[in-house]
Amino acid sequence: MVINLLLIVVGIIVVLWGADRLTDGAVALAERMKLSQMVIGLTIVALGTSMPEFFVSLMSALKGTTDLAVGNVVGSNIFNAMLIVGCAALVMPMSILRSTVRKDIPFALLASIMLMLMCLDGTISRLDAALLFAALLVFFYVSLKGSKPDNSAEVQRGEPYSVAKAVMLVVIGLAGLVVGSNVFVDNASALAGRLGLSEAVIGLTIVAGGTSLPELATSIVAARKGNSGIAIGNVLGSNVMNILFILGLTGLISPMTINGITWIDLSMLGISMLLLWIFSFTKYRIERWEGAVLVAIFLLYMGSLIAGA
């Protein structure tokens, strides 16, 4: 068990290191294309920081631990919308663009509702996965259509990377993600068996928390620097990517059966996005007290999961 725990930590470290390299390279390429902060957050950064969830879920599905794959996505989205946004708002109240409230948050909420409906029969079939992936293409089109360069609040990165170095970072990051996620999934599954915990609970807690660390770090740093566009865009984009990209592509490769994910878990997925949407309407800001509410609800949910396990 001690070896499993140590290897889980090693897997998380390698996954986070890989995600960091991948995100640096991807954002450097995006900045050379003169994309706006919000678009970078919703697409490039979100895709990069969602790579840990993708590789962990893909490896889990391929190895037959489908509850771990789906639990990872559901747990990560709850983690993102409640704990990450909550902590970022506690650090610095977050300004929300009108377009985010009217377009981006509703899209993330719609993706959550799609997943909840698809889970009614206890499976995510290839047809379900194809619908999710099609919705992802619509999301990319809507996000990128009409985007304009935003030079008012550039991300401070010093000297820009060359294209060659950026591509090299992307490749190295992907390699780290593949290796780290393999180690992580194998040992998380083994630990669940030794402790008598279900794969779903492990996925909703340990795996979701571990793979969401890139989003947590990225959003808090961005909020502290006053780049709330990237902070909230990263969270919303990651939540959309987790459902539409990760479960869409994973489900196309390997259809998934869901046993341990309860309606409480799926309801929390929808409630977390709904609360985020409601709080965003208040002066188009998420205040510190609203962040505290999100964190408190998240801690209560995690407590109930652990107590139930």
Side-chain angles (χ1 to χ4, degrees), residues 42-43 45-55 57-58 69-81 84 108 111-112 115 124 132-133 136 139-140 207-208 211-213 215 234-251 256 269 273:
L42 278 168
T43 56
V45 176
L47 186 59
T49 56
S50 288
M51 282 293 110
E53 287 93 335
F54 172 63
F55 279 95
S57 290
L58 178 61
V70 180
N72 173 35
V73 167
V74 173
S76 291
N77 278 21
I78 296 170
F79 191 102
N80 289 349
I84 293 179
S112 301
L115 177 58
I124 296 179
L132 291 174
F133 202 77
L136 174 70
F139 171 71
F140 273 137
V207 179
T211 55
S212 289
L213 287 178
E215 285 93 338
N234 175 41
V235 166
L236 294 175
S238 291
N239 278 19
V240 172
M241 296 289 180
N242 286 350
I243 295 174
L244 303 184
F245 171 66
I246 294 174
L247 291 184
L249 190 54
T250 300
M256 292 170 281
L269 175 65
M273 286 310 308

Side-chain angles (χ1 to χ4, degrees), residues 21 27 39 53 96 121 128 131 147 160 171 173 208 217 221 284 293:
R21 303 287 85 73
V27 171
V39 170
E53 287 93 335
I96 312 294
D121 61 357
D128 293 335
L131 290 173
S147 66
V171 173
V221 170
Y284 293 99
V293 170

Side-chain angles (χ1 to χ4, degrees), residues 103-126:
K103 181 182 66 176
D104 301 319
I105 297 179
F107 205 106
L109 179 59
L110 178 62
S112 301
I113 293 172
M114 285 180 67
L115 177 58
M116 293 168 68
L117 293 175
M118 288 177 179
C119 290
L120 283 173
D121 61 357
T123 61
I124 296 179
S125 64
R126 282 195 170 93

